[in-house]
Amino acid sequence: MSPNQIIVLATPVFFLLIAIELAVGYKRQRITYRLPDAISSISLGMLSQTSAVFTRLLRIGIYTAVFEHVALWRNDAFWLSLPGWLLALLFYDFCYYWLHRMGHESAVLWAAHAVHHQSQDYNLSTALRQTSSGALLGWMFYVPMALAGVPPLVFTTVALVDLLYQFWVHTEQVGRLGWFDRWFCSPSNHRVHHAVNDVYLDRNYGGILIVWDRLFGTFKDEDDREQCAYGTRGLLNSWDPLWANAQVYAGLAHDSWHARNWLDKLRVWIKPPGWRPTDVAERFPKPAFDIAQMPLYHPPMSRALQWFAGVQFALMLAGVAAFLWQADAAPLADNAVWFATLLAAQWALGAAVQGRIGMGMALLIESAALATATSVLGLQEWHWLFKPLTMVIAIAVVTGHLRAAAPGSGLGRSEGRWLIAALAGSLAGDVFLMFSGFFIPGLVSFLLAHLCYIVLFRKGVPWFARRGALLATLAIGAGMYAFLWLGGLPTALRGPVAAYVLVIALMAAQAIGRATVLGGRGAWLVAIGAGFFMLSDATLATNRFVQPLPLAQLWVLSTYYIAQVLIVAGMLYPARPQRSTAVGGEGSAVLSGEGSAASAAVPPTGYATPRP
């Protein structure tokens, strides 16, 4: 049984323990859970496990190579005996201590490890909140085990034991445990590790044994007079799983780029977290950390959104379990497609919970991802469901937006009708192209859809306001048509394809001109979407008329759906975005008008969000 399958089998146990912890919290009137935070933490755990399908090859592959060719002592019989297993577990825990400690003392390692600390809650769901990039450098700390001749099987097994042990220590419902606290990592000891109070910061790194911290001077006992405050000193303020993994890396890249001294560009990554070159700190100052002024990030959620998030989360969990169960036997390309699909769903759920998009837009993204994946993987019956369903959802999103008549919306009634007409034409084209022998009707349907888009993009702006963009798109279209002609475009299709290429070039030019006139994020999303339409159609034509492309359906459909999603999102974006009052907000746009709410700050309630 593979480690992935063991994780799947252990998942019900995790959730049972979470349920018990939640029940104890209700009984004690000490609730440590919030729905969006728990979903975010577990979602990051899912992402960590699904991405590990690919990064585990790096970690185990390097370990196995060192073991096979450089091991200083080979005695598999000893390591497979009971004393050998115990020694290997002790050895692993020792290496883990140093990896964990360096993860707090070196900025580039902290960038990976910070994900685990970002939650402002401390409960068993926090234990599942894991990084997706830790394996990129973390493997180095376990090379001594390979050199000592610990077989890969023993290494992976004790690594799993060490990881599973650490689950139960993430709770506030278990108090001090007397002698156990002196020897082992316990809930009390690990609460200290997650706290950002000055007195607790960067302490108690042990995985199973806390003895390492006592030996190397990093131990700190929990003090009943100093309540632990959890989080990181650099505010995340997001439920986005991608941003959670990228936040610290982005900050380091920013400081490294702007540092004038070349050595400082390197030191940014190596120095302890929070270190900044003097010139960068002067140009881009950050407020000093004040634990008393750190609000709890808690965007409000409507009851409908809570139910939506719960159902979506359950379905996503099932999808992740199915993916992990078969991942070791599946081809790498298939795993990559399903990983991308799950990632799109996770991002959409996080964005909906945060209030950045509406529930309808989240469903649109998820359906588009599933339509693409089912086509690529040959799941024809499911593809026949999700391909038309995606455009039906898009039409429903726009219709719902028009009915809500949100003030300040960038989409009026007339524009909405043209957008719906364009989506309906796309729906017809999708259906026609699902069946052989209907290429011409499909081409005509998409041609009409693009004409509707041109009329839509003309509303309120001049024709082709950016002449350079018009010339560029026409030149690209002419080049593409010449490529198709020379590649063997059938004579009967030369006229229809020429008309199609001209219309889509004009559509892209009009979208770009519109963006230059109107400005704003929404208009540029539409322009980028039109560009993806050109890319999708070029890929489709190349694959059909010139040369079959590897994974053609992936490139054709992914770019097609990116185009549709961006155009719908851009057209529904507010005409004059207003700054959100949310903590760290960037202007919330409820893109589908379906119950999402803007983020809001909540006064401190004993929580804090510390560490740079």
Side-chain angles (χ1 to χ4, degrees):
M1 183 172 292
S2 71
N4 286 327
Q5 292 175 331
I6 293 174
I7 291 295
V8 172
L9 293 177
T11 299
V13 179
F14 294 154
F15 279 92
L16 175 61
L17 294 174
I18 287 173
I20 293 173
E21 183 190 28
L22 190 58
V24 170
Y26 272 109
K27 183 176 181 180
R28 294 177 176 177
Q29 296 185 343
R30 186 184 181 188
I31 306 300
T32 59
Y33 280 88
R34 293 175 297 137
L35 178 64
D37 181 86
I39 288 178
S40 176
S41 290
I42 299 173
S43 180
L44 282 162
M46 294 181 198
L47 179 57
S48 175
Q49 290 300 317
T50 54
S51 62
V53 168
F54 309 98
T55 59
R56 189 176 287 117
L57 297 175
L58 170 68
R59 180 183 177 189
I60 302 303
I62 293 176
Y63 184 94
T64 301
V66 173
F67 169 79
E68 293 288 349
H69 301 290
V70 194
L72 302 177
W73 181 64
R74 293 287 296 271
N75 189 340
D76 291 5
F78 167 74
W79 291 111
L80 291 171
S81 68
L82 180 58
W85 281 103
L86 293 175
L87 181 59
L89 183 59
L90 187 69
F91 199 167
Y92 183 92
D93 203 53
F94 176 76
C95 295
Y96 174 83
Y97 167 85
W98 285 105
L99 168 60
H100 199 179
R101 180 170 174 173
M102 290 301 102
H104 285 250
E105 296 183 2
S106 174
V108 68
L109 295 175
W110 169 250
H113 182 58
V115 176
H116 182 60
H117 284 261
Q118 289 164 343
S119 174
Q120 294 176 265
D121 297 341
Y122 189 75
N123 51 53
L124 293 178
S125 75
T126 310
L128 302 177
R129 186 185 188 99
Q130 297 291 330
T131 179
S132 297
S133 61
L136 299 179
L137 296 175
W139 60 268
M140 296 185 295
F141 290 84
Y142 299 104
V143 168
M145 295 184 68
L147 293 174
V150 179
L153 173 63
V154 176
F155 169 74
T156 55
T157 302
V158 297
L160 187 60
V161 170
D162 205 275
L163 176 66
L164 293 176
Y165 172 88
Q166 294 178 56
F167 175 75
W168 79 281
V169 301
H170 293 79
T171 181
E172 293 190 80
Q173 304 298 345
V174 177
R176 304 293 292 274
L177 298 177
W179 67 268
F180 191 89
D181 292 337
R182 292 193 292 273
W183 292 91
F184 295 94
C185 178
S186 65
S188 175
N189 292 331
H190 206 61
R191 285 193 290 270
V192 168
H193 175 72
H194 273 259
V196 292
N197 315 55
D198 288 340
V199 68
Y200 294 144
L201 196 64
D202 297 335
R203 298 288 181 173
N204 297 0
Y205 299 112
I208 294 178
L209 296 176
I210 207 68
V211 174
W212 310 123
D213 292 280
R214 294 183 181 274
L215 286 175
F216 299 112
T218 54
F219 178 76
K220 175 63 181 176
D221 208 0
E222 187 177 22
D223 188 343
D224 293 336
R225 296 168 297 180
E226 180 80 20
Q227 181 183 1
C228 293
Y230 305 111
T232 57
R233 291 189 172 185
L235 292 169
L236 176 63
N237 288 335
S238 175
W239 305 132
D240 185 338
L242 295 178
W243 180 240
N245 277 281
Q247 181 202 25
V248 180
Y249 288 109
L252 294 175
H254 172 274
D255 287 357
S256 180
W257 175 263
H258 288 284
R260 294 190 178 98
N261 185 289
W262 283 97
L263 284 178
D264 282 346
K265 291 179 181 292
L266 178 62
R267 290 190 187 105
V268 164
W269 300 90
I270 299 174
K271 286 280 192 176
W275 183 87
R276 307 181 77 202
T278 303
D279 59 316
V280 175
E282 289 176 352
R283 282 186 290 162
F284 306 98
K286 293 182 179 179
F289 168 65
D290 182 357
I291 198 170
Q293 299 298 321
M294 305 301 287
L296 180 68
Y297 180 70
H298 190 64
M301 295 176 65
S302 67
R303 182 60 61 89
L305 182 56
Q306 292 178 34
W307 276 102
F308 175 83
V311 172
Q312 290 285 300
F313 173 75
L315 293 173
M316 192 166 59
L317 182 63
V320 169
F323 170 75
L324 292 176
W325 189 261
Q326 57 77 49
D328 292 317
L332 182 62
D334 289 4
N335 281 340
V337 170
W338 278 124
F339 172 75
T341 303
L342 290 168
L343 183 59
Q346 287 179 272
W347 182 88
L349 177 58
V353 171
Q354 190 171 332
R356 294 171 61 189
I357 64 175
M359 292 179 280
M361 186 61 69
L363 289 175
L364 174 60
I365 293 170
E366 292 165 358
S367 183
L370 286 168
T372 303
T374 52
S375 176
V376 175
L377 299 177
L379 304 175
Q380 197 64 35
E381 293 81 3
W382 288 104
H383 179 63
W384 286 346
L385 169 65
F386 287 112
K387 190 173 186 182
L389 179 62
T390 302
M391 287 299 100
V392 170
I393 293 174
I395 292 170
V397 167
V398 176
T399 302
H401 183 91
L402 292 175
R403 287 179 179 175
S409 170
L411 190 70
R413 296 285 176 179
S414 176
E415 291 89 345
R417 294 189 188 98
W418 283 107
L419 179 55
I420 290 174
L423 294 172
S426 298
L427 172 60
D430 285 341
V431 173
F432 281 128
L433 292 184
M434 288 167 60
F435 303 97
S436 60
F438 288 88
F439 179 77
I440 293 298
L443 190 68
V444 172
S445 298
F446 279 116
L447 182 66
L448 294 174
H450 292 320
L451 288 171
C452 291
Y453 276 130
I454 291 176
V455 175
L456 172 64
F457 301 157
R458 170 66 175 82
K459 296 288 185 177
V461 298
W463 282 111
F464 309 115
R466 197 63 173 263
R467 301 300 178 185
L470 175 61
L471 294 176
T473 57
L474 288 175
I476 293 172
M480 188 64 205
Y481 186 72
F483 174 70
L484 295 175
W485 182 297
L486 296 175
L489 182 66
T491 303
L493 291 178
R494 289 174 181 174
V497 171
Y500 188 89
V501 169
L502 175 63
V503 169
I504 196 169
L506 294 176
M507 181 195 75
Q510 184 61 29
I512 296 171
R514 176 179 179 273
T516 60
V517 172
L518 299 181
R521 183 180 299 181
W524 282 108
L525 286 176
V526 170
I528 295 170
F532 270 101
F533 249 131
M534 291 190 71
L535 178 60
S536 177
D537 288 331
T539 306
L540 173 64
T542 300
N543 179 70
R544 188 177 184 90
F545 300 122
V546 179
Q547 180 178 351
L549 301 175
L551 295 175
Q553 288 298 94
L554 175 62
W555 315 123
V556 171
L557 289 178
S558 62
T559 50
Y560 167 70
Y561 285 123
I562 289 172
Q564 296 283 23
V565 169
L566 288 176
I567 289 175
V568 171
M571 293 305 301
L572 300 188
Y573 200 84
R576 291 178 296 277
Q578 296 179 351
R579 296 290 296 178
S580 169
T581 58
V583 181
E586 298 180 358
S588 176
V590 185
L591 295 181
S592 72
E594 296 183 43
S596 298
S599 305
V602 177
T605 58
Y607 296 88
T609 44
R611 188 170 197 109

